């Protein structure tokens, strides 16, 4: 019996080439996303389109009661952008947003790090406390905080009187714009911390303990371990949280409006969300209010696009 030896070159040329399987496009993800897309189009897309159309129209009290709106082009935008009060309100809103976002991110990340080092019982206690704060509606929380800072019967004035020995009873925290926004920043930050803390804690659980232990054995302190090891792992989570906090805090409405109702001076404490409501409902100029809202949407989209672009660049690199 004879055997025929085949060289590797002959084997490679004689062997049939493997057929490439064509990847079939699976439509399952699109089908699963379809209900959410429909909800977004119905509840966000259509009202946003109506808002944009309204911002180019003369839409006042007459149109609210049935008169046909007249197309005025960019007159509403020119009116808004040339109004000094708009820029004052926008600057005030940005300043409040920066303070609230900074405080929320720092305290939220700090609480998440603390939860990572706590035992199971204390971690559960902290989690329940955060959930209770998170579950409380913004309007209810603002009313409770308004009682705490009440002029005559507030806990803050009572404690300051007991600690300092001076009479703080009767001091109004909401009549002065600076202290008004201090109280508002406390309320907004208090309500936003749980979301940041829980999200950051979920990211911290994905950091390998072996890497942290090795860095600790090599002499790296707590700050170095956080900056060089933990932060790169949770950077994308922190970036998303930062974008969301900027969006939420820049358009805050309920807390500011409720505090103004309790005792704030509306003309000196309006933020962009309350300002849109005042222009649209109080003065009846819905067209100008729509223009302000569209400008706010453009600002928020620009901020989000900037951070998302940087995040994608970091992921590619």
């Amino acid at each position: 019996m004879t055997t025929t030896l085949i060289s590797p070159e002959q084997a490679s040329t004689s062997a049939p080439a493997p057929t490439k399987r064509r990847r079939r496009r699976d439509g399952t993800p699109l089908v699963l996303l379809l209900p959410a897309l429909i909800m977004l189009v119905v509840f966000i897309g259509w009202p946003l389109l109506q808002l944009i159309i309204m911002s180019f129209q003369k839409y006042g009290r007459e149109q609210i009661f049935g008169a046909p709106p007249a197309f005025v082009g960019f007159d509403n935008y020119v009116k808004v952008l040339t109004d000094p009060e708009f820029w004052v309100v926008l600057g005030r809103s940005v300043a409040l947003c920066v303070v609230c976002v900074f405080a929320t991110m720092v305290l939220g990340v700090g609480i998440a790090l603390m939860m990572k080092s706590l035992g199971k019982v204390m971690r559960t206690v902290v989690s329940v406390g955060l959930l209770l704060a998170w579950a409380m509606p913004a309007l209810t929380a603002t009313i409770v905080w308004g009682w705490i800072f009440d002029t005559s019967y507030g806990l803050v004035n009572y404690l300051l009187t007991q600690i300092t020995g001076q009479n703080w009873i009767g001091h109004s925290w909401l009549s002065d714009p600076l202290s008004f926004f201090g109280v508002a920043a406390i309320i907004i930050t208090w309500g936003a911390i749980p979301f940041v803390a829980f999200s950051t804690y979920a990211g911290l659980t994905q950091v390998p303990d072996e890497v942290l232990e090795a860095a600790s054995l090599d002499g790296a302190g707590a700050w170095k371990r956080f900056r060089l090891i933990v932060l790169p792992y949770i950077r994308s989570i922190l970036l998303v949280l930062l974008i969301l906090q900027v969006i939420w805090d820049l358009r805050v409405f309920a807390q500011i409006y409720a505090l103004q109702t309790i005792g704030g001076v509306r003309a000196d404490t309006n933020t962009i969300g309350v300002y849109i409501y005042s222009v649209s409902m109080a003065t009846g100029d819905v067209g100008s209010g729509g223009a302000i809202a569209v400008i706010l949407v453009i600002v928020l989209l620009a901020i989000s696009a900037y951070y998302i672009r940087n995040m994608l660049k970091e992921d590619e690199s």
Side-chain angles (χ1 to χ4, degrees), residues 72-105:
V72 294
F74 290 94
D75 289 354
N76 290 328
Y77 290 92
V78 173
K79 179 181 176 181
V80 169
L81 295 175
T82 55
D83 185 6
E85 185 179 2
F86 167 75
W87 295 105
V88 172
V89 172
L90 182 61
R92 189 185 296 151
S93 303
V94 171
L96 178 64
C97 175
V98 170
V99 172
C100 293
V101 170
F102 177 79
T104 301
M105 295 300 295

PDB file of all heavy atoms in Angstrom, residues 72-105:
ATOM      1  N   VAL A  72     -44.526  85.518  13.086  1.00  0.00           N
ATOM      2  CA  VAL A  72     -43.732  86.745  13.254  1.00  0.00           C
ATOM      3  C   VAL A  72     -42.241  86.502  13.044  1.00  0.00           C
ATOM      4  O   VAL A  72     -41.428  87.376  13.332  1.00  0.00           O
ATOM      5  CB  VAL A  72     -43.971  87.353  14.650  1.00  0.00           C
ATOM      6  CG1 VAL A  72     -45.403  87.837  14.798  1.00  0.00           C
ATOM      7  CG2 VAL A  72     -43.623  86.357  15.753  1.00  0.00           C
ATOM      8  N   GLY A  73     -41.856  85.342  12.562  1.00  0.00           N
ATOM      9  CA  GLY A  73     -40.446  85.067  12.306  1.00  0.00           C
ATOM     10  C   GLY A  73     -39.635  85.003  13.591  1.00  0.00           C
ATOM     11  O   GLY A  73     -40.019  84.361  14.572  1.00  0.00           O
ATOM     12  N   PHE A  74     -38.508  85.716  13.581  1.00  0.00           N
ATOM     13  CA  PHE A  74     -37.597  85.696  14.731  1.00  0.00           C
ATOM     14  C   PHE A  74     -37.849  86.844  15.704  1.00  0.00           C
ATOM     15  O   PHE A  74     -36.982  87.146  16.529  1.00  0.00           O
ATOM     16  CB  PHE A  74     -36.143  85.751  14.238  1.00  0.00           C
ATOM     17  CG  PHE A  74     -35.686  84.492  13.560  1.00  0.00           C
ATOM     18  CD1 PHE A  74     -35.762  84.366  12.188  1.00  0.00           C
ATOM     19  CD2 PHE A  74     -35.179  83.438  14.300  1.00  0.00           C
ATOM     20  CE1 PHE A  74     -35.341  83.207  11.557  1.00  0.00           C
ATOM     21  CE2 PHE A  74     -34.758  82.273  13.678  1.00  0.00           C
ATOM     22  CZ  PHE A  74     -34.848  82.162  12.303  1.00  0.00           C
ATOM     23  N   ASP A  75     -39.017  87.483  15.619  1.00  0.00           N
ATOM     24  CA  ASP A  75     -39.278  88.629  16.491  1.00  0.00           C
ATOM     25  C   ASP A  75     -39.240  88.240  17.964  1.00  0.00           C
ATOM     26  O   ASP A  75     -38.729  88.999  18.804  1.00  0.00           O
ATOM     27  CB  ASP A  75     -40.642  89.239  16.153  1.00  0.00           C
ATOM     28  CG  ASP A  75     -40.632  89.965  14.817  1.00  0.00           C
ATOM     29  OD1 ASP A  75     -39.534  90.075  14.225  1.00  0.00           O
ATOM     30  OD2 ASP A  75     -41.707  90.409  14.366  1.00  0.00           O
ATOM     31  N   ASN A  76     -39.785  87.074  18.301  1.00  0.00           N
ATOM     32  CA  ASN A  76     -39.770  86.645  19.702  1.00  0.00           C
ATOM     33  C   ASN A  76     -38.342  86.426  20.201  1.00  0.00           C
ATOM     34  O   ASN A  76     -38.013  86.781  21.341  1.00  0.00           O
ATOM     35  CB  ASN A  76     -40.578  85.359  19.863  1.00  0.00           C
ATOM     36  CG  ASN A  76     -42.073  85.581  19.684  1.00  0.00           C
ATOM     37  OD1 ASN A  76     -42.588  86.643  20.019  1.00  0.00           O
ATOM     38  ND2 ASN A  76     -42.773  84.598  19.138  1.00  0.00           N
ATOM     39  N   TYR A  77     -37.506  85.850  19.359  1.00  0.00           N
ATOM     40  CA  TYR A  77     -36.113  85.608  19.757  1.00  0.00           C
ATOM     41  C   TYR A  77     -35.355  86.924  19.906  1.00  0.00           C
ATOM     42  O   TYR A  77     -34.561  87.085  20.843  1.00  0.00           O
ATOM     43  CB  TYR A  77     -35.429  84.710  18.728  1.00  0.00           C
ATOM     44  CG  TYR A  77     -35.928  83.290  18.735  1.00  0.00           C
ATOM     45  CD1 TYR A  77     -36.967  82.892  17.906  1.00  0.00           C
ATOM     46  CD2 TYR A  77     -35.381  82.345  19.596  1.00  0.00           C
ATOM     47  CE1 TYR A  77     -37.433  81.580  17.911  1.00  0.00           C
ATOM     48  CE2 TYR A  77     -35.837  81.038  19.614  1.00  0.00           C
ATOM     49  CZ  TYR A  77     -36.875  80.666  18.772  1.00  0.00           C
ATOM     50  OH  TYR A  77     -37.340  79.375  18.800  1.00  0.00           O
ATOM     51  N   VAL A  78     -35.588  87.860  19.003  1.00  0.00           N
ATOM     52  CA  VAL A  78     -34.944  89.171  19.109  1.00  0.00           C
ATOM     53  C   VAL A  78     -35.392  89.880  20.382  1.00  0.00           C
ATOM     54  O   VAL A  78     -34.583  90.488  21.106  1.00  0.00           O
ATOM     55  CB  VAL A  78     -35.259  90.021  17.863  1.00  0.00           C
ATOM     56  CG1 VAL A  78     -34.726  91.440  18.048  1.00  0.00           C
ATOM     57  CG2 VAL A  78     -34.672  89.388  16.621  1.00  0.00           C
ATOM     58  N   LYS A  79     -36.689  89.793  20.671  1.00  0.00           N
ATOM     59  CA  LYS A  79     -37.221  90.418  21.879  1.00  0.00           C
ATOM     60  C   LYS A  79     -36.594  89.825  23.138  1.00  0.00           C
ATOM     61  O   LYS A  79     -36.249  90.554  24.086  1.00  0.00           O
ATOM     62  CB  LYS A  79     -38.744  90.236  21.906  1.00  0.00           C
ATOM     63  CG  LYS A  79     -39.423  90.825  23.128  1.00  0.00           C
ATOM     64  CD  LYS A  79     -40.914  90.562  23.070  1.00  0.00           C
ATOM     65  CE  LYS A  79     -41.598  91.074  24.338  1.00  0.00           C
ATOM     66  NZ  LYS A  79     -43.064  90.805  24.316  1.00  0.00           N
ATOM     67  N   VAL A  80     -36.431  88.504  23.156  1.00  0.00           N
ATOM     68  CA  VAL A  80     -35.862  87.842  24.336  1.00  0.00           C
ATOM     69  C   VAL A  80     -34.380  88.151  24.467  1.00  0.00           C
ATOM     70  O   VAL A  80     -33.893  88.512  25.555  1.00  0.00           O
ATOM     71  CB  VAL A  80     -36.098  86.316  24.243  1.00  0.00           C
ATOM     72  CG1 VAL A  80     -35.288  85.590  25.316  1.00  0.00           C
ATOM     73  CG2 VAL A  80     -37.574  85.997  24.396  1.00  0.00           C
ATOM     74  N   LEU A  81     -33.639  88.018  23.379  1.00  0.00           N
ATOM     75  CA  LEU A  81     -32.189  88.182  23.441  1.00  0.00           C
ATOM     76  C   LEU A  81     -31.758  89.625  23.672  1.00  0.00           C
ATOM     77  O   LEU A  81     -30.621  89.881  24.090  1.00  0.00           O
ATOM     78  CB  LEU A  81     -31.552  87.655  22.152  1.00  0.00           C
ATOM     79  CG  LEU A  81     -31.700  86.138  21.924  1.00  0.00           C
ATOM     80  CD1 LEU A  81     -31.142  85.744  20.572  1.00  0.00           C
ATOM     81  CD2 LEU A  81     -31.016  85.353  23.030  1.00  0.00           C
ATOM     82  N   THR A  82     -32.621  90.578  23.400  1.00  0.00           N
ATOM     83  CA  THR A  82     -32.299  91.988  23.658  1.00  0.00           C
ATOM     84  C   THR A  82     -32.867  92.476  24.987  1.00  0.00           C
ATOM     85  O   THR A  82     -32.741  93.670  25.303  1.00  0.00           O
ATOM     86  CB  THR A  82     -32.845  92.873  22.523  1.00  0.00           C
ATOM     87  OG1 THR A  82     -34.256  92.630  22.361  1.00  0.00           O
ATOM     88  CG2 THR A  82     -32.121  92.580  21.215  1.00  0.00           C
ATOM     89  N   ASP A  83     -33.472  91.571  25.740  1.00  0.00           N
ATOM     90  CA  ASP A  83     -34.029  91.932  27.045  1.00  0.00           C
ATOM     91  C   ASP A  83     -32.968  91.716  28.122  1.00  0.00           C
ATOM     92  O   ASP A  83     -32.514  90.583  28.332  1.00  0.00           O
ATOM     93  CB  ASP A  83     -35.261  91.069  27.337  1.00  0.00           C
ATOM     94  CG  ASP A  83     -35.944  91.475  28.628  1.00  0.00           C
ATOM     95  OD1 ASP A  83     -35.536  92.485  29.239  1.00  0.00           O
ATOM     96  OD2 ASP A  83     -36.905  90.782  29.049  1.00  0.00           O
ATOM     97  N   PRO A  84     -32.528  92.771  28.823  1.00  0.00           N
ATOM     98  CA  PRO A  84     -31.489  92.593  29.857  1.00  0.00           C
ATOM     99  C   PRO A  84     -31.910  91.636  30.969  1.00  0.00           C
ATOM    100  O   PRO A  84     -31.064  90.940  31.553  1.00  0.00           O
ATOM    101  CB  PRO A  84     -31.279  94.021  30.392  1.00  0.00           C
ATOM    102  CG  PRO A  84     -31.790  94.918  29.318  1.00  0.00           C
ATOM    103  CD  PRO A  84     -32.919  94.184  28.672  1.00  0.00           C
ATOM    104  N   GLU A  85     -33.200  91.589  31.267  1.00  0.00           N
ATOM    105  CA  GLU A  85     -33.657  90.713  32.344  1.00  0.00           C
ATOM    106  C   GLU A  85     -33.406  89.247  32.014  1.00  0.00           C
ATOM    107  O   GLU A  85     -33.089  88.449  32.916  1.00  0.00           O
ATOM    108  CB  GLU A  85     -35.147  90.937  32.603  1.00  0.00           C
ATOM    109  CG  GLU A  85     -35.668  90.154  33.799  1.00  0.00           C
ATOM    110  CD  GLU A  85     -37.141  90.399  34.063  1.00  0.00           C
ATOM    111  OE1 GLU A  85     -37.761  91.143  33.291  1.00  0.00           O
ATOM    112  OE2 GLU A  85     -37.679  89.826  35.037  1.00  0.00           O
ATOM    113  N   PHE A  86     -33.523  88.880  30.743  1.00  0.00           N
ATOM    114  CA  PHE A  86     -33.268  87.490  30.347  1.00  0.00           C
ATOM    115  C   PHE A  86     -31.842  87.087  30.675  1.00  0.00           C
ATOM    116  O   PHE A  86     -31.587  85.989  31.194  1.00  0.00           O
ATOM    117  CB  PHE A  86     -33.548  87.320  28.854  1.00  0.00           C
ATOM    118  CG  PHE A  86     -33.016  86.024  28.291  1.00  0.00           C
ATOM    119  CD1 PHE A  86     -33.654  84.822  28.542  1.00  0.00           C
ATOM    120  CD2 PHE A  86     -31.854  86.006  27.521  1.00  0.00           C
ATOM    121  CE1 PHE A  86     -33.159  83.625  28.036  1.00  0.00           C
ATOM    122  CE2 PHE A  86     -31.355  84.820  27.012  1.00  0.00           C
ATOM    123  CZ  PHE A  86     -32.006  83.629  27.269  1.00  0.00           C
ATOM    124  N   TRP A  87     -30.883  87.961  30.374  1.00  0.00           N
ATOM    125  CA  TRP A  87     -29.478  87.629  30.626  1.00  0.00           C
ATOM    126  C   TRP A  87     -29.168  87.595  32.115  1.00  0.00           C
ATOM    127  O   TRP A  87     -28.353  86.784  32.570  1.00  0.00           O
ATOM    128  CB  TRP A  87     -28.582  88.632  29.909  1.00  0.00           C
ATOM    129  CG  TRP A  87     -28.709  88.543  28.417  1.00  0.00           C
ATOM    130  CD1 TRP A  87     -29.364  89.410  27.596  1.00  0.00           C
ATOM    131  CD2 TRP A  87     -28.192  87.508  27.583  1.00  0.00           C
ATOM    132  NE1 TRP A  87     -29.278  88.989  26.290  1.00  0.00           N
ATOM    133  CE2 TRP A  87     -28.574  87.821  26.255  1.00  0.00           C
ATOM    134  CE3 TRP A  87     -27.463  86.353  27.822  1.00  0.00           C
ATOM    135  CZ2 TRP A  87     -28.238  87.016  25.172  1.00  0.00           C
ATOM    136  CZ3 TRP A  87     -27.124  85.534  26.745  1.00  0.00           C
ATOM    137  CH2 TRP A  87     -27.510  85.877  25.448  1.00  0.00           C
ATOM    138  N   VAL A  88     -29.834  88.454  32.885  1.00  0.00           N
ATOM    139  CA  VAL A  88     -29.653  88.409  34.340  1.00  0.00           C
ATOM    140  C   VAL A  88     -30.170  87.093  34.899  1.00  0.00           C
ATOM    141  O   VAL A  88     -29.509  86.428  35.715  1.00  0.00           O
ATOM    142  CB  VAL A  88     -30.370  89.605  35.000  1.00  0.00           C
ATOM    143  CG1 VAL A  88     -30.355  89.460  36.523  1.00  0.00           C
ATOM    144  CG2 VAL A  88     -29.712  90.916  34.593  1.00  0.00           C
ATOM    145  N   VAL A  89     -31.351  86.692  34.453  1.00  0.00           N
ATOM    146  CA  VAL A  89     -31.947  85.433  34.923  1.00  0.00           C
ATOM    147  C   VAL A  89     -31.103  84.248  34.481  1.00  0.00           C
ATOM    148  O   VAL A  89     -30.874  83.301  35.263  1.00  0.00           O
ATOM    149  CB  VAL A  89     -33.395  85.310  34.411  1.00  0.00           C
ATOM    150  CG1 VAL A  89     -33.952  83.923  34.722  1.00  0.00           C
ATOM    151  CG2 VAL A  89     -34.269  86.379  35.023  1.00  0.00           C
ATOM    152  N   LEU A  90     -30.619  84.269  33.239  1.00  0.00           N
ATOM    153  CA  LEU A  90     -29.796  83.164  32.740  1.00  0.00           C
ATOM    154  C   LEU A  90     -28.489  83.054  33.531  1.00  0.00           C
ATOM    155  O   LEU A  90     -28.074  81.949  33.911  1.00  0.00           O
ATOM    156  CB  LEU A  90     -29.507  83.354  31.254  1.00  0.00           C
ATOM    157  CG  LEU A  90     -28.690  82.250  30.584  1.00  0.00           C
ATOM    158  CD1 LEU A  90     -29.418  80.920  30.661  1.00  0.00           C
ATOM    159  CD2 LEU A  90     -28.385  82.607  29.131  1.00  0.00           C
ATOM    160  N   GLY A  91     -27.839  84.194  33.790  1.00  0.00           N
ATOM    161  CA  GLY A  91     -26.609  84.161  34.590  1.00  0.00           C
ATOM    162  C   GLY A  91     -26.852  83.667  35.995  1.00  0.00           C
ATOM    163  O   GLY A  91     -26.054  82.897  36.550  1.00  0.00           O
ATOM    164  N   ARG A  92     -27.969  84.086  36.578  1.00  0.00           N
ATOM    165  CA  ARG A  92     -28.339  83.635  37.921  1.00  0.00           C
ATOM    166  C   ARG A  92     -28.573  82.126  37.929  1.00  0.00           C
ATOM    167  O   ARG A  92     -28.155  81.415  38.865  1.00  0.00           O
ATOM    168  CB  ARG A  92     -29.602  84.380  38.345  1.00  0.00           C
ATOM    169  CG  ARG A  92     -30.002  84.199  39.786  1.00  0.00           C
ATOM    170  CD  ARG A  92     -31.338  84.894  39.993  1.00  0.00           C
ATOM    171  NE  ARG A  92     -31.235  86.333  39.782  1.00  0.00           N
ATOM    172  CZ  ARG A  92     -32.246  87.089  39.358  1.00  0.00           C
ATOM    173  NH1 ARG A  92     -33.410  86.545  39.073  1.00  0.00           N
ATOM    174  NH2 ARG A  92     -32.082  88.391  39.220  1.00  0.00           N
ATOM    175  N   SER A  93     -29.224  81.627  36.893  1.00  0.00           N
ATOM    176  CA  SER A  93     -29.511  80.197  36.802  1.00  0.00           C
ATOM    177  C   SER A  93     -28.236  79.385  36.631  1.00  0.00           C
ATOM    178  O   SER A  93     -28.082  78.316  37.239  1.00  0.00           O
ATOM    179  CB  SER A  93     -30.464  79.931  35.633  1.00  0.00           C
ATOM    180  OG  SER A  93     -31.650  80.669  35.753  1.00  0.00           O
ATOM    181  N   VAL A  94     -27.317  79.881  35.796  1.00  0.00           N
ATOM    182  CA  VAL A  94     -26.052  79.177  35.583  1.00  0.00           C
ATOM    183  C   VAL A  94     -25.243  79.132  36.876  1.00  0.00           C
ATOM    184  O   VAL A  94     -24.640  78.102  37.221  1.00  0.00           O
ATOM    185  CB  VAL A  94     -25.262  79.841  34.448  1.00  0.00           C
ATOM    186  CG1 VAL A  94     -23.853  79.258  34.356  1.00  0.00           C
ATOM    187  CG2 VAL A  94     -25.991  79.674  33.118  1.00  0.00           C
ATOM    188  N   ALA A  95     -25.207  80.250  37.606  1.00  0.00           N
ATOM    189  CA  ALA A  95     -24.455  80.288  38.866  1.00  0.00           C
ATOM    190  C   ALA A  95     -25.030  79.297  39.874  1.00  0.00           C
ATOM    191  O   ALA A  95     -24.283  78.546  40.534  1.00  0.00           O
ATOM    192  CB  ALA A  95     -24.486  81.704  39.440  1.00  0.00           C
ATOM    193  N   LEU A  96     -26.357  79.271  40.004  1.00  0.00           N
ATOM    194  CA  LEU A  96     -26.987  78.307  40.911  1.00  0.00           C
ATOM    195  C   LEU A  96     -26.714  76.882  40.456  1.00  0.00           C
ATOM    196  O   LEU A  96     -26.448  75.993  41.286  1.00  0.00           O
ATOM    197  CB  LEU A  96     -28.495  78.564  40.973  1.00  0.00           C
ATOM    198  CG  LEU A  96     -29.307  77.606  41.838  1.00  0.00           C
ATOM    199  CD1 LEU A  96     -28.899  77.717  43.300  1.00  0.00           C
ATOM    200  CD2 LEU A  96     -30.817  77.876  41.689  1.00  0.00           C
ATOM    201  N   CYS A  97     -26.751  76.645  39.157  1.00  0.00           N
ATOM    202  CA  CYS A  97     -26.493  75.307  38.614  1.00  0.00           C
ATOM    203  C   CYS A  97     -25.075  74.852  38.937  1.00  0.00           C
ATOM    204  O   CYS A  97     -24.858  73.707  39.342  1.00  0.00           O
ATOM    205  CB  CYS A  97     -26.736  75.304  37.108  1.00  0.00           C
ATOM    206  SG  CYS A  97     -26.325  73.768  36.277  1.00  0.00           S
ATOM    207  N   VAL A  98     -24.103  75.736  38.767  1.00  0.00           N
ATOM    208  CA  VAL A  98     -22.704  75.374  39.044  1.00  0.00           C
ATOM    209  C   VAL A  98     -22.526  74.992  40.505  1.00  0.00           C
ATOM    210  O   VAL A  98     -21.885  73.977  40.832  1.00  0.00           O
ATOM    211  CB  VAL A  98     -21.774  76.540  38.657  1.00  0.00           C
ATOM    212  CG1 VAL A  98     -20.355  76.285  39.153  1.00  0.00           C
ATOM    213  CG2 VAL A  98     -21.768  76.739  37.142  1.00  0.00           C
ATOM    214  N   VAL A  99     -23.087  75.786  41.412  1.00  0.00           N
ATOM    215  CA  VAL A  99     -22.956  75.503  42.846  1.00  0.00           C
ATOM    216  C   VAL A  99     -23.614  74.171  43.191  1.00  0.00           C
ATOM    217  O   VAL A  99     -23.034  73.329  43.898  1.00  0.00           O
ATOM    218  CB  VAL A  99     -23.579  76.648  43.671  1.00  0.00           C
ATOM    219  CG1 VAL A  99     -23.624  76.272  45.150  1.00  0.00           C
ATOM    220  CG2 VAL A  99     -22.787  77.931  43.480  1.00  0.00           C
ATOM    221  N   CYS A 100     -24.828  73.953  42.697  1.00  0.00           N
ATOM    222  CA  CYS A 100     -25.567  72.725  43.028  1.00  0.00           C
ATOM    223  C   CYS A 100     -24.902  71.493  42.435  1.00  0.00           C
ATOM    224  O   CYS A 100     -24.795  70.451  43.101  1.00  0.00           O
ATOM    225  CB  CYS A 100     -27.002  72.834  42.536  1.00  0.00           C
ATOM    226  SG  CYS A 100     -28.002  74.068  43.384  1.00  0.00           S
ATOM    227  N   VAL A 101     -24.437  71.585  41.186  1.00  0.00           N
ATOM    228  CA  VAL A 101     -23.795  70.438  40.547  1.00  0.00           C
ATOM    229  C   VAL A 101     -22.495  70.090  41.269  1.00  0.00           C
ATOM    230  O   VAL A 101     -22.212  68.911  41.541  1.00  0.00           O
ATOM    231  CB  VAL A 101     -23.540  70.728  39.056  1.00  0.00           C
ATOM    232  CG1 VAL A 101     -22.651  69.651  38.446  1.00  0.00           C
ATOM    233  CG2 VAL A 101     -24.854  70.804  38.298  1.00  0.00           C
ATOM    234  N   PHE A 102     -21.701  71.099  41.599  1.00  0.00           N
ATOM    235  CA  PHE A 102     -20.439  70.841  42.304  1.00  0.00           C
ATOM    236  C   PHE A 102     -20.696  70.184  43.664  1.00  0.00           C
ATOM    237  O   PHE A 102     -20.072  69.167  44.004  1.00  0.00           O
ATOM    238  CB  PHE A 102     -19.674  72.144  42.486  1.00  0.00           C
ATOM    239  CG  PHE A 102     -18.394  71.998  43.255  1.00  0.00           C
ATOM    240  CD1 PHE A 102     -17.254  71.504  42.636  1.00  0.00           C
ATOM    241  CD2 PHE A 102     -18.325  72.341  44.593  1.00  0.00           C
ATOM    242  CE1 PHE A 102     -16.068  71.363  43.350  1.00  0.00           C
ATOM    243  CE2 PHE A 102     -17.146  72.197  45.310  1.00  0.00           C
ATOM    244  CZ  PHE A 102     -16.014  71.707  44.679  1.00  0.00           C
ATOM    245  N   ALA A 103     -21.627  70.753  44.438  1.00  0.00           N
ATOM    246  CA  ALA A 103     -21.919  70.191  45.760  1.00  0.00           C
ATOM    247  C   ALA A 103     -22.503  68.785  45.644  1.00  0.00           C
ATOM    248  O   ALA A 103     -22.141  67.890  46.421  1.00  0.00           O
ATOM    249  CB  ALA A 103     -22.885  71.108  46.504  1.00  0.00           C
ATOM    250  N   THR A 104     -23.386  68.568  44.670  1.00  0.00           N
ATOM    251  CA  THR A 104     -24.010  67.253  44.514  1.00  0.00           C
ATOM    252  C   THR A 104     -22.989  66.192  44.140  1.00  0.00           C
ATOM    253  O   THR A 104     -22.987  65.087  44.707  1.00  0.00           O
ATOM    254  CB  THR A 104     -25.102  67.313  43.439  1.00  0.00           C
ATOM    255  OG1 THR A 104     -26.085  68.277  43.810  1.00  0.00           O
ATOM    256  CG2 THR A 104     -25.768  65.962  43.274  1.00  0.00           C
ATOM    257  N   MET A 105     -22.106  66.505  43.192  1.00  0.00           N
ATOM    258  CA  MET A 105     -21.119  65.523  42.758  1.00  0.00           C
ATOM    259  C   MET A 105     -20.123  65.204  43.870  1.00  0.00           C
ATOM    260  O   MET A 105     -19.799  64.033  44.108  1.00  0.00           O
ATOM    261  CB  MET A 105     -20.391  66.035  41.520  1.00  0.00           C
ATOM    262  CG  MET A 105     -21.265  66.186  40.285  1.00  0.00           C
ATOM    263  SD  MET A 105     -22.043  64.650  39.737  1.00  0.00           S
ATOM    264  CE  MET A 105     -20.598  63.701  39.266  1.00  0.00           C
TER     265      MET A 105
END
